[in-house]
């Protein structure tokens, strides 16, 4: 990618970076006595303009969704290339495809679940599905999924097909960019996903044939390694994992899984790895990495707010909440 094209966008994003919430903001919000107080403590942030739109504090998801949608719209307008934004936003496109297919199967209107982020024209896809369109590869994929579902009546087929397609598109985008950071992001996300899949398959006592359907190609650990590991004892001492970039972040989770059979901290450590991955971007003057880092940082900000607000809704204490929070980019 031509880094010089990102001079203006990087300068603008450095200014907007100041609006991102810091670690101390999350601590302050988590220490509020109630959900209503937690929302009130956002009054001096970009989220304030959405607070008056809700009729009850329990509708906090409206606030998060509106701000995330607004942010992505601006990010696409600011960035001279869609790729640094698409790398993070692509999951919403595939989320929408899942909702679309589940709408078709259930014959229910699920419009409230769609995410209005990126290039997903809901009317176009709904009409295309109704008319049996083969306009692009996604309609062809939808057709294959519906045929497979009709044959087996297994809803898991939808996730298997779309998750594999998502990771293939993600890796293609990263490799098209020729940016090392993006390629590492895609490959390591695949490794995290495959390791989590492997551990869940072991807990559910699944066989290798099942694993072959859901292990995603393209990570730094070859697919065959997972099939071999399925019937072995796993821990932080397992050699196959020690060679991975993400080893530092999965080793405690592997030991927890061996001792307790749980994956309670896996997601948090995965998110912390990706925040660490982009922290050095703060010292990059300009380039596509600046766009990508800001988008990923916003995603983590929304995730932290959701953790706090869900916890407040359920009356959980501040110490518990702080243990669940992800690291902050700023």
């Amino acid at each position: 990618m031509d880094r010089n094209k990102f001079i203006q966008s990087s300068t603008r994003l450095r200014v907007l970076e100041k609006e991102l919430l810091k670690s101390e903001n999350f601590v302050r919000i988590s220490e509020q006595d109630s959900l209503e107080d937690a929302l009130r403590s956002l009054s001096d942030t970009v989220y304030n303009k959405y607070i008056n739109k809700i009729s009850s504090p329990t509708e906090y998801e409206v606030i998060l969704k509106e701000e995330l949608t607004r942010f992505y719209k601006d990010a696409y307008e600011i960035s001279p290339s869609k790729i640094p934004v698409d790398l993070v936003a692509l999951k919403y496109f595939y989320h929408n495809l899942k909702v679309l297919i589940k709408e078709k199967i259930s014959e229910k209107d699920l419009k409230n679940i769609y995410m209005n982020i990126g290039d997903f024209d809901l009317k176009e896809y709904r009409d295309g599905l109704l008319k049996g369109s083969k306009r692009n590869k996604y309609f062809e994929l939808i057709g294959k999924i519906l045929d497979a579902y009709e044959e087996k009546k297994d809803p898991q087929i939808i996730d298997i097909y779309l998750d594999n397609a998502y990771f293939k598109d993600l890796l293609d985008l990263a490799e098209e960019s020729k940016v090392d950071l993006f390629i590492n992001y895609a490959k390591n996300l695949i490794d995290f996903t495959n390791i989590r899949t492997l551990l869940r398959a072991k807990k559910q006592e699944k066989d290798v044939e099942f694993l072959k359907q859901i292990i995603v190609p393209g990570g730094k650990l070859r697919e065959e390694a997972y099939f071999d590991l399925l019937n072995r004892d796993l821990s932080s001492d397992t050699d196959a994992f020690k060679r991975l970039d993400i080893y530092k972040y999965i080793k405690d989770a592997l030991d927890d899984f061996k001792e307790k059979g749980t994956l309670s901290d896996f997601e948090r450590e995965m998110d912390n790895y990706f925040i660490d991955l982009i922290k050095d971007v703060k010292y990059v003057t300009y380039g596509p990495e600046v766009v990508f880092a800001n988008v990923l940082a916003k995603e983590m900000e929304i995730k932290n707010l959701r953790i706090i607000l869900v916890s407040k809704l359920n009356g959980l204490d501040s110490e518990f909440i702080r243990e669940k929070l992800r690291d902050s980019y700023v």
Side-chain angles (χ1 to χ4, degrees):
M1 303 184 80
D2 184 352
R3 306 184 64 80
N4 291 322
K5 291 182 178 179
F6 288 85
I7 295 174
Q8 185 176 353
S9 60
S10 298
T11 303
R12 187 173 173 191
L13 284 168
R14 290 302 185 209
V15 175
L16 294 176
E17 238 173 48
K18 296 174 183 176
E19 296 180 351
L20 291 170
L21 301 185
K22 300 176 177 62
S23 296
E24 53 264 35
N25 295 121
F26 296 124
V27 171
R28 175 171 55 86
I29 300 165
S30 70
E31 290 175 344
Q32 301 303 308
D33 292 332
S34 66
L35 174 60
E36 187 172 2
D37 289 338
L39 288 174
R40 192 177 294 116
S41 70
L42 290 170
S43 60
D44 59 347
T45 72
V46 295
Y47 296 89
N48 183 54
K49 57 188 165 187
Y50 308 113
I51 293 175
N52 292 332
K53 292 186 176 183
I54 61 173
S55 55
S56 165
T58 58
E59 296 175 0
Y60 59 82
E61 276 294 343
V62 173
I63 297 170
L64 302 183
K65 191 173 182 178
E66 291 252 359
E67 170 58 13
L68 192 65
T69 303
R70 191 279 312 166
F71 176 85
Y72 270 105
K73 183 175 180 293
D74 288 353
Y76 276 115
E77 289 175 357
I78 291 169
S79 181
S81 166
K82 291 170 61 176
I83 289 178
V85 186
D86 278 346
L87 282 164
V88 187
L90 185 64
K91 63 186 177 187
Y92 295 114
F93 180 87
Y94 276 95
H95 163 83
N96 288 340
L97 287 184
K98 287 182 183 181
V99 176
L100 183 76
I101 293 170
K102 289 172 183 177
E103 261 192 348
K104 172 74 172 176
I105 291 169
S106 67
E107 298 182 347
K108 294 178 181 177
D109 185 344
L110 302 176
K111 64 184 177 185
N112 291 331
I113 307 177
Y114 285 100
M115 295 296 292
N116 185 25
I117 291 171
D119 294 330
F120 190 87
D121 186 326
L122 178 56
K123 185 177 185 306
E124 176 188 353
Y125 275 89
R126 276 179 168 171
D127 290 348
L129 190 56
L130 188 66
K131 297 171 185 175
S133 171
K134 294 183 179 178
R135 193 173 313 166
N136 60 39
K137 67 177 184 179
Y138 299 110
F139 285 109
E140 292 178 14
L141 177 60
I142 290 167
K144 287 179 183 177
I145 293 170
L146 289 172
D147 289 343
Y149 175 80
E150 283 302 314
E151 181 182 342
K152 297 187 177 180
K153 298 296 182 183
D154 181 1
Q156 192 174 36
I157 285 172
I158 302 169
D159 293 332
I160 290 171
Y161 271 84
L162 288 176
D163 287 349
N164 275 277
Y166 159 69
F167 282 111
K168 183 181 183 305
D169 274 1
L170 181 71
L171 193 53
D172 286 347
L173 272 175
E175 290 177 341
E176 180 187 343
S177 75
K178 295 184 172 62
V179 176
D180 288 343
L181 177 70
F182 299 168
I183 294 169
N184 283 329
Y185 168 76
K187 286 183 173 292
N188 289 327
L189 181 56
I190 290 172
D191 283 333
F192 269 117
T193 303
N194 282 339
I195 291 167
R196 181 179 56 201
T197 296
L198 171 68
L199 298 179
R200 286 176 175 168
K202 283 182 72 66
K203 186 171 184 179
Q204 296 167 10
E205 299 182 346
K206 299 291 187 179
D207 59 21
V208 171
E209 289 308 309
F210 172 82
L211 201 60
K212 284 180 178 178
Q213 295 180 67
I214 55 178
I215 287 294
V216 179
K220 295 185 178 181
L221 186 60
R222 59 188 177 85
E223 298 159 73
E224 292 77 14
Y226 293 102
F227 310 147
D228 176 59
L229 291 168
L230 181 63
N231 296 312
R232 291 172 50 191
D233 286 336
L234 300 179
S235 73
S236 59
D237 290 326
T238 302
D239 286 340
F241 299 134
K242 288 182 176 180
R243 296 189 294 270
L244 297 175
D245 298 344
I246 62 175
Y247 174 69
K248 170 186 167 184
Y249 299 84
I250 62 170
K251 65 186 189 69
D252 288 344
L254 289 166
D255 286 336
D256 278 350
F257 180 80
K258 183 177 181 179
E259 293 171 19
K260 308 171 191 173
T262 64
L263 282 168
S264 58
D265 295 330
F266 189 90
E267 301 287 342
R268 185 191 64 203
E269 289 306 308
M270 178 174 71
D271 290 339
N272 286 342
Y273 166 77
F274 289 116
I275 286 295
D276 285 349
L277 185 70
I278 61 174
K279 277 187 174 175
D280 284 346
V281 175
K282 285 184 281 189
Y283 308 108
V284 174
T285 308
Y286 59 85
E289 298 93 340
V290 177
V291 178
F292 172 77
N294 271 265
V295 176
L296 198 57
K298 189 67 176 184
E299 283 280 337
M300 294 303 175
E301 174 179 288
I302 295 285
K303 186 171 288 190
N304 272 336
L305 284 176
R306 182 173 287 112
I307 288 168
I308 294 170
L309 298 175
V310 168
S311 298
K312 288 298 173 187
L313 179 63
N314 289 286
L316 301 173
D317 63 46
S318 301
E319 185 178 351
F320 173 87
I321 297 171
R322 287 195 296 273
E323 288 175 357
K324 296 298 179 184
L325 290 177
R326 277 57 172 163
D327 291 341
S328 176
Y329 173 65
V330 293

